[in-house]
Amino acid sequence: MMNQFISYLTRMRSTAGVEIYLLENDKIVIRYAKIKRKRNIVTFEEGEYNFQCIADLLNRINGSLPIALCLSGKGIIHRSFPSVKNFSAIDYGQKIIPTATTDDFFIQLTTIREITFVSMARRDTIKMIISDFENAGLEIHTLTLGPFALIPVWSYLHLNKSDTFQLDAHLFEMTEDKPTGYILKSPLTERSDNIRFANEEMSECMVTAYATGLCLIAGISFPTIELNSFGISKENIDQRSIFKKVLPTVLGIFLLALLANTYFYSYYSLKMNEVNTDSLGLLKAEENRLINELENDQNLINNITRPLDSKYGSLVRLSDLLAASQPSSITLEEMTIFPRDKKESRRTRKSSYDFTLVRISGNCENGIELNTWINIIRQFNFCKKVEISEYTEENNSSRFTLNLKVE
């Protein structure tokens, strides 16, 4: 049940399949197909196939529309090899470029029967494309190299038996109605034939873009490259989708709670107006008492914490200076900073502290060094007064208690 609910929250209502051909001299040709989903029915809504820049695309689609991107053309390498068991993507990639590494290239594998199609693109090329889309405010959900999003939905093409099949710029070599080879031609710019794909009539130039978007919106697995290094992942996308769908409900609940709170506040305000003056006086007195307690507690916190920007620094600084100046012949047993004022606490029946006192207890082997230490402490700028409150001698050492008045 929970899995079904999560699936509902992450389900897309619409998407755009976008195919980009990278041409010479940094020129591009863009095809796009907008796809809409209602329950389990996916329909082709609209499309174009001769855009020359991303700005043209932005004029046609909403910036929040999820995009399934397909790249072909300059900088994208495609090769096919007999499949090799246990071969990784980099193993295939190094058959094309022996020095290739995953730090420099994205490598995409598409396996059809016993043939593996290897698609490679430099990371810098992909980074540039993604950056252009992000700067335009467009959200890429997935990216595939070449027209291989067609493979999972190949049966929707309803092809006649032939050794080759060309769709826009994509030329496939066929064996038993399945692609076994692939060559990229020049994209069509003026003439294109209509084709029936997935029960939809459209220009052949939009079929690859439509197939890419169809796989994304229908949850069909198809070859893609990992974009985690660009912050694009299925987990992040699902979280944003859940947030967008849950947000209206949460806001609705919040508004209802706000209205209910407003109603009860008004109701009890009217009731309070009916209370006599004496009762209001008692409430006011109680309010003042609570405010005073709050102020006292706040003052207590401020005094205890003693902020770093205070006149003589923080308590940490005070403690560090005392420890650094302590002679080796003196052993401290206790240092109480701001001890409890017992007399004042009894008088007010509340915990009260002396924020001007630091009490230090310990043992010393040499009274002269104790006096020397006291003189050093007197030089500190936070020290107002220091005196010995207790001093007893036992065997070869003496116990002492110092009262240090601080500012």
Side-chain angles (χ1 to χ4, degrees):
M1 186 68 179
M2 180 57 69
N3 291 337
Q4 292 176 344
F5 181 63
I6 296 296
S7 176
Y8 166 75
L9 291 178
T10 57
R11 183 183 300 168
M12 299 176 189
R13 292 190 178 94
S14 60
T15 188
V18 177
E19 182 181 21
I20 294 183
Y21 289 98
L22 306 176
L23 308 179
E24 297 291 338
N25 301 320
D26 294 330
K27 293 182 179 180
I28 62 174
V29 173
I30 302 177
R31 285 69 157 101
Y32 96 94
K34 188 175 179 182
I35 305 163
K36 191 173 182 179
R37 175 176 183 163
K38 187 175 182 180
R39 295 187 179 89
N40 292 326
I41 300 174
V42 176
T43 56
F44 171 66
E45 194 168 353
E46 64 177 17
E48 293 285 347
Y49 57 89
N50 260 332
F51 290 156
Q52 305 299 314
C53 63
I54 293 177
D56 294 337
L57 179 65
L58 184 60
N59 290 333
R60 289 300 185 94
I61 65 176
N62 190 319
S64 62
L65 191 66
I67 290 176
L69 183 61
C70 167
L71 288 183
S72 295
K74 182 182 176 182
I76 314 296
I77 304 172
H78 301 284
R79 297 287 187 274
S80 61
F81 300 98
S83 298
V84 180
K85 188 177 181 180
N86 298 328
F87 248 38
S88 65
I90 191 60
D91 293 328
Y92 282 109
Q94 290 176 348
K95 294 186 71 172
I96 302 173
I97 302 177
T99 58
T101 66
T102 53
D103 292 332
D104 297 325
F105 288 90
F106 283 108
I107 304 173
Q108 172 187 293
L109 302 182
T110 307
T111 301
I112 305 173
R113 293 181 180 170
E114 297 179 356
I115 300 295
T116 296
F117 291 87
V118 184
S119 305
M120 298 179 63
R122 288 194 174 275
R123 286 183 173 268
D124 290 343
T125 301
I126 302 302
K127 182 178 180 180
M128 178 188 67
I129 295 295
I130 291 177
S131 177
D132 289 344
F133 271 76
E134 288 179 345
N135 291 338
L138 297 172
E139 185 176 3
I140 296 175
H141 278 220
T142 186
L143 192 153
T144 182
L145 303 178
F148 297 103
L150 285 166
I151 302 305
V153 291
W154 192 261
S155 59
Y156 292 168
L157 287 167
H158 305 294
L159 303 178
N160 296 322
K161 290 186 177 181
S162 175
D163 294 337
T164 61
F165 168 66
Q166 184 165 353
L167 187 69
D168 192 7
H170 307 296
L171 178 62
F172 296 93
E173 297 175 2
M174 307 292 294
T175 301
E176 297 180 1
D177 298 331
K178 291 291 183 180
T180 53
Y182 170 72
I183 300 174
L184 180 67
K185 301 286 188 177
S186 297
L188 300 176
T189 56
E190 296 180 358
R191 179 198 60 80
S192 66
D193 296 327
N194 280 355
I195 190 170
R196 191 161 186 82
F197 176 73
N199 296 322
E200 299 279 1
E201 189 83 17
M202 67 187 73
S203 166
E204 65 176 292
C205 295
M206 291 186 289
V207 171
T208 303
Y210 179 73
T212 308
L214 175 63
C215 288
L216 176 63
I217 200 170
I220 300 172
S221 179
F222 67 105
T224 59
I225 60 175
E226 291 291 337
L227 300 179
N228 290 336
S229 58
F230 299 102
I232 302 173
S233 66
K234 185 178 185 303
E235 291 74 16
N236 292 339
I237 291 168
D238 286 348
Q239 288 176 4
R240 288 198 299 269
S241 178
I242 291 173
F243 177 77
K244 288 178 182 178
K245 289 186 178 180
V246 170
L247 182 61
T249 302
V250 173
L251 287 177
I253 294 173
F254 174 77
L255 288 174
L256 285 175
L258 186 62
L259 289 172
N261 183 66
T262 303
Y263 168 77
F264 285 113
Y265 176 79
S266 301
Y267 175 77
Y268 285 109
S269 294
L270 292 173
K271 289 293 183 182
M272 287 296 296
N273 290 333
E274 300 174 2
V275 178
N276 59 42
T277 305
D278 292 339
S279 297
L280 288 176
L282 291 173
L283 288 174
K284 188 64 179 178
E286 180 65 14
E287 179 186 7
N288 292 334
R289 185 185 68 80
L290 292 174
I291 290 174
N292 289 333
E293 283 192 4
L294 180 61
E295 290 178 351
N296 291 336
D297 291 343
Q298 189 62 50
N299 291 333
L300 176 62
I301 292 172
N302 291 337
N303 285 321
I304 291 176
T305 55
R306 192 164 179 165
L308 184 61
D309 59 356
S310 62
K311 184 176 180 182
Y312 298 112
S314 66
L315 291 178
V316 174
R317 176 177 177 273
L318 184 151
S319 301
D320 287 346
L321 289 174
L322 290 174
S325 62
Q326 175 191 337
S328 59
S329 63
I330 294 177
T331 304
L332 299 186
E333 292 183 350
E334 181 180 0
M335 182 168 66
T336 306
I337 299 176
F338 305 156
R340 190 165 179 263
D341 189 333
K342 296 180 180 179
K343 183 177 179 180
E344 184 67 16
S345 296
R346 283 195 298 269
R347 188 182 70 80
T348 61
R349 296 183 180 180
K350 295 179 182 178
S351 294
S352 182
Y353 302 88
D354 188 344
F355 296 110
T356 64
L357 179 63
V358 176
R359 183 175 293 127
I360 304 172
S361 300
N363 298 296
C364 69
E365 299 175 359
N366 189 323
I368 295 175
E369 288 199 2
L370 176 60
N371 287 329
T372 301
W373 189 36
I374 292 173
N375 289 330
I376 292 173
I377 294 174
R378 285 182 177 134
Q379 303 304 314
F380 293 143
N381 59 2
F382 58 77
C383 178
K384 188 175 181 181
K385 181 181 179 182
V386 60
E387 60 183 12
I388 299 175
S389 64
E390 294 181 16
Y391 186 87
T392 58
E393 294 185 355
E394 296 179 2
N395 299 327
N396 294 326
S397 64
S398 302
R399 290 180 55 81
F400 68 88
T401 299
L402 300 181
N403 284 338
L404 171 61
K405 288 287 186 177
V406 298
E407 296 188 35

